[in-house]
Amino acid sequence: MCGIVGYVGHRPCRDLLVEGLQKLEYRGYDSAGISLLADGEIESVRAVGNLANLRAELGMGENGKDGGGVAVAAPPATIGLGHTRWATHGRVTEENAHPHGDCADEVHIVLNGIVENHADLRKQLTTEGHVFSSETDAEIVSHLIEKHYDGNLTDAVAAAFRDLRGHYAFVAMHAEHPDTLVAARQECPLIVGLGEGETYVASAIPAFLAHTRNVLGVKNGEIVTIDAEGARIIDSSGAPVERDVEEVLWTEEDAEKGGYSTFMLKEIHDQPDAVAETIADRLADPTRVDLSALDLPEGIAQRVGRIVIVACGTSYHAGMVGRYAIEQWARVPVEIDVASEFRYRDPVIGPDDLVIGITQSGETADTLAAMRLARERGAHVLAVTNVMGSQATRDADSILFTRAGTEISVAATKTFVSQAAALYLFALWLADERGEVSKDRVKTLIAELKELPHKIQETIANVDRRVQAIARSHYKQRFFLYVGRNVGLPVCLEGALKLKEVSYIPTDAYAAGEMKHGPIALLDESTPVIAVATDSPVLEKVLSNVSEVRARGADVISVATEGSQHVADASDQTLWVSRTDWVLQPILAVLPLQLLAYCIARLNGLNVDQPRNLAKTVTVE
């Protein structure tokens, strides 16, 4: 997930580009850069780290005023590109920061997304004499445009677009076209802002909302040519596309939420992108999972005798999902522990163990302490985190990044699904390395994983109205019970946690097979029971437990895999999620539970983004 912005108009654009990047920095913050075109020359400034470092390179103070530093493009440029990066291909270095140029430094591009066939294209272009200056997949695009360019930038971009495979959006600038930018989109967001004598193009509306409210959407497979007077859209075959200009009615504060009423709702809807960014480059090869960037020791997959997962809260629930996947596919024993308990129980840990510490922020105190203890005792420690440069990245031996972007709401949503997705990648990689799954099975699971972003989007759309109706029926209830088995259990725990966090309703989550050992005494005819009953080897057992619950008069709301009519027949109400491999079902099954917690809290008039007594990052015991 990266942020891109472009400008062409009548104003000096350096500060406008940096201002736009500031609004997009949640999309990536390991490096940033801008390219400005003036007097037929393109000049770039790039910096590793967050946007403050780019400001320093540009000589911009915190208040935006000049304060010395690098002088660029005089007279002031009125056309340029900006980018803030979340690294996928290539290390976090200045050379790998965007924008990227071609051999003659006449074409500059910024890109968000993944070019899946970059390796083949790089080999072909190198054979043709192109010289690359970075390790990134994105640089391919500037060289392809150079290859196809014959004086018409739009035609060159269209030709390059047809060569690419993957999901991406990019913007291109050419030194011979001081009044034109050309952009293209395939699966990643891209929006045009139309001002008075100036035009913007960016990953998201907040990048330019302070300057214009008139926007033009760009759809998949489309190429847009922009100048100071407006934009012209064509499809990939070159046919013109007509599209109405829309007026954005949001305030700037609303724009930060992407037009949603709350950050929590926005982040629920961000989940397809969060999973897509987490898995994309690691599944570029349809036959294997690429985790080479983790820098794991040679042969660790064969040597590891046990995996121990340590985490807190939502990360703990994601770790439980990972445990099921690792044991099911890789056949390695997995223990999972609450980090605050692990660190004080004098755990038996040694060199044959792999310890996975999961922390969204990379700063969770108990998880960090557990990781350090494990490392002191000789275990190899792998951090799963969302934040580059966080303490977890310094305390671990290896790092598996999720790419969820900034999560502002205290209640974690896209954190859970991106952590689960990252752990699925690790589990499948480990299984493949150990030879525990067939090559055909690996290919099938990779295909299923790559379908998850679409299925997340599909499921959210399909359950939304039904969830709202259920919430209206039950938002005054004073107790909820969640039940499930196997991979459904961590979904129950996470769903119950969400309801507790944002609605303050007492909620319990239990392994369904344990119902008769006490919790069934809580049930009466006023009790809503949420049953996670997605397809799995234990579904019949779950339905038996559901029958026991219904016999006590409780209202059973089941989360079920689409088409499982026998679940609907056994339940009072059913929330359908898209079909996928049963081990992957938790990423979809949690979605209606997130929405249910959200809707109940909102109906009760509560602040879902800032629940009482809670903080986003727990940095103390």
Side-chain angles (χ1 to χ4, degrees), residues 466-538:
R466 187 71 184 134
V467 166
Q468 290 185 47
I470 292 170
R472 285 193 295 271
S473 298
H474 293 290
Y475 76 100
K476 291 297 185 184
Q477 297 291 347
R478 293 298 88 197
F479 174 71
F480 282 71
L481 182 66
Y482 287 62
V483 296
R485 302 180 82 141
N486 200 282
V487 294
L489 178 57
V491 176
C492 289
L493 292 167
E494 178 60 12
L497 178 61
K498 292 285 92 64
L499 191 63
K500 283 182 253 190
E501 284 179 313
V502 300
S503 73
Y504 320 141
I505 295 174
T507 307
D508 206 352
Y510 244 85
E514 293 290 292
M515 287 291 298
K516 295 186 291 295
H517 294 273
I520 203 166
L522 295 169
L523 303 184
D524 59 29
E525 293 183 358
S526 69
T527 310
V529 175
I530 313 297
V532 177
T534 53
D535 287 357
S536 79
V538 296

Side-chain angles (χ1 to χ4, degrees), residues 89 98 100 109-111 115 118 136-143:
H89 295 77
H98 298 219
H100 288 297
I109 67 97
V110 288
L111 181 141
V115 177
H118 71 97
T136 69
D137 59 330
E139 190 186 349
I140 299 294
V141 177
S142 58
H143 290 273

Side-chain angles (χ1 to χ4, degrees), residues 276-292:
E277 295 291 343
T278 297
I279 68 176
D281 58 309
R282 293 149 175 170
L283 298 180
D285 184 336
T287 66
R288 57 183 288 272
V289 179
D290 181 4
L291 294 185
S292 56

Side-chain angles (χ1 to χ4, degrees), residues 113-350:
I114 302 292
V115 177
E116 293 180 358
N117 58 336
H118 71 97
D120 291 340
L121 290 172
R122 181 182 284 254
K123 184 177 180 180
Q124 174 189 328
L125 289 164
T126 301
T127 301
E128 294 171 1
H130 291 260
V131 177
F132 290 83
S133 59
S134 78
E135 303 167 308
T136 69
D137 59 330
E139 190 186 349
I140 299 294
V141 177
S142 58
H143 290 273
L144 282 175
I145 294 171
E146 177 188 21
K147 172 183 175 178
H148 292 297
Y149 181 74
D150 62 0
N152 187 309
L153 182 56
T154 300
D155 288 350
V157 168
F161 184 81
R162 289 190 289 270
D163 290 338
L164 300 172
R165 187 175 72 248
H167 72 280
Y168 50 81
F170 67 86
V171 187
M173 179 170 67
H174 197 292
E176 294 182 1
H177 299 267
D179 55 2
T180 304
L181 298 174
V182 182
R185 172 189 168 167
Q186 185 63 38
E187 302 295 343
C188 286
L190 194 68
I191 195 87
V192 174
L194 302 169
E196 292 292 330
E198 59 185 12
T199 308
Y200 297 79
V201 60
S203 298
I205 291 171
F208 54 72
L209 188 60
H211 305 284
T212 181
R213 293 180 174 274
N214 296 321
V215 303
L216 197 64
V218 182
K219 296 184 178 180
N220 286 337
E222 293 181 343
I223 295 149
V224 56
T225 302
I226 72 170
D227 57 29
E229 302 308 315
R232 297 171 300 284
I233 300 175
I234 60 173
D235 63 23
S236 57
S237 70
V241 175
E242 295 296 327
R243 183 144 310 129
D244 292 336
V245 175
E246 300 178 47
E247 182 182 2
V248 176
L249 301 178
W250 317 331
T251 66
E252 285 193 61
E253 181 181 355
D254 291 336
E256 297 290 339
K257 300 171 185 171
Y260 294 99
S261 55
T262 65
F263 283 110
M264 183 177 177
L265 187 59
K266 173 187 179 293
E267 288 157 7
I268 288 172
H269 286 267
D270 280 347
Q271 291 178 116
D273 280 349
V275 172
E277 295 291 343
T278 297
I279 68 176
D281 58 309
R282 293 149 175 170
L283 298 180
D285 184 336
T287 66
R288 57 183 288 272
V289 179
D290 181 4
L291 294 185
S292 56
L294 271 62
D295 197 27
L296 291 163
E298 186 72 27
I300 191 172
Q302 288 73 33
R303 291 197 311 273
V304 64
R306 178 181 63 154
I307 293 172
V308 178
I309 298 173
V310 291
C312 302
T314 287
S315 296
Y316 177 83
H317 302 152
M320 290 183 69
V321 173
R323 176 180 66 182
Y324 284 108
I326 292 168
E327 292 193 338
Q328 182 72 30
W329 296 338
R331 309 307 297 161
V332 177
V334 180
E335 296 179 13
I336 182 165
D337 220 333
V338 176
S340 57
E341 292 296 313
F342 177 90
R343 63 184 293 195
Y344 290 117
R345 68 173 176 82
D346 196 18
V348 180
I349 295 289

Side-chain angles (χ1 to χ4, degrees), residues 301-587:
Q302 288 73 33
R303 291 197 311 273
V304 64
R306 178 181 63 154
I307 293 172
V308 178
I309 298 173
V310 291
C312 302
T314 287
S315 296
Y316 177 83
H317 302 152
M320 290 183 69
V321 173
R323 176 180 66 182
Y324 284 108
I326 292 168
E327 292 193 338
Q328 182 72 30
W329 296 338
R331 309 307 297 161
V332 177
V334 180
E335 296 179 13
I336 182 165
D337 220 333
V338 176
S340 57
E341 292 296 313
F342 177 90
R343 63 184 293 195
Y344 290 117
R345 68 173 176 82
D346 196 18
V348 180
I349 295 289
D352 293 333
D353 297 321
L354 172 67
V355 173
I356 302 176
I358 311 173
T359 161
Q360 183 276 144
S361 65
E363 305 291 344
T364 308
D366 287 318
T367 305
L368 293 175
M371 290 165 58
R372 291 174 190 139
L373 175 62
R375 204 173 180 191
E376 288 168 4
R377 298 190 177 186
H380 187 90
V381 174
L382 169 65
V384 177
T385 185
N386 195 52
V387 181
M388 291 186 177
S390 61
Q391 189 61 46
T393 66
R394 297 190 288 274
D395 289 348
D397 299 297
S398 303
I399 307 154
L400 175 55
F401 284 110
T402 57
R403 299 171 184 145
T406 301
E407 190 174 60
I408 295 173
S409 178
V410 169
T413 52
K414 60 181 179 175
T415 286
F416 177 82
V417 297
S418 57
Q419 288 173 342
L423 291 166
Y424 284 139
L425 294 178
F426 178 78
L428 189 53
W429 171 84
L430 186 63
D432 193 20
E433 289 289 310
R434 292 172 66 88
E436 294 289 348
V437 288
S438 69
K439 293 300 181 183
D440 285 345
R441 177 69 170 146
V442 171
K443 289 172 65 176
T444 298
L445 286 169
I446 286 175
E448 291 281 3
L449 281 163
K450 292 173 81 168
E451 282 293 311
L452 282 177
H454 169 71
K455 290 179 178 179
I456 293 170
Q457 191 169 34
E458 181 180 69
T459 297
I460 291 172
N462 289 343
V463 302
D464 186 52
R465 292 182 66 181
R466 187 71 184 134
V467 166
Q468 290 185 47
I470 292 170
R472 285 193 295 271
S473 298
H474 293 290
Y475 76 100
K476 291 297 185 184
Q477 297 291 347
R478 293 298 88 197
F479 174 71
F480 282 71
L481 182 66
Y482 287 62
V483 296
R485 302 180 82 141
N486 200 282
V487 294
L489 178 57
V491 176
C492 289
L493 292 167
E494 178 60 12
L497 178 61
K498 292 285 92 64
L499 191 63
K500 283 182 253 190
E501 284 179 313
V502 300
S503 73
Y504 320 141
I505 295 174
T507 307
D508 206 352
Y510 244 85
E514 293 290 292
M515 287 291 298
K516 295 186 291 295
H517 294 273
I520 203 166
L522 295 169
L523 303 184
D524 59 29
E525 293 183 358
S526 69
T527 310
V529 175
I530 313 297
V532 177
T534 53
D535 287 357
S536 79
V538 296
L539 178 56
E540 289 186 1
K541 302 288 187 185
V542 175
L543 293 181
S544 294
N545 300 136
V546 166
S547 296
E548 295 165 358
V549 168
R550 291 188 79 191
R552 272 72 185 176
D555 185 24
V556 175
I557 303 157
S558 288
V559 178
T561 305
E562 61 183 358
S564 299
Q565 187 57 43
H566 54 303
V567 179
D569 293 342
S571 310
D572 295 295
Q573 300 178 81
T574 309
L575 294 165
W576 301 105
V577 300
S578 298
R579 184 168 293 278
T580 188
D581 185 273
W582 71 270
V583 180
L584 304 179
Q585 239 8 126
I587 278 186

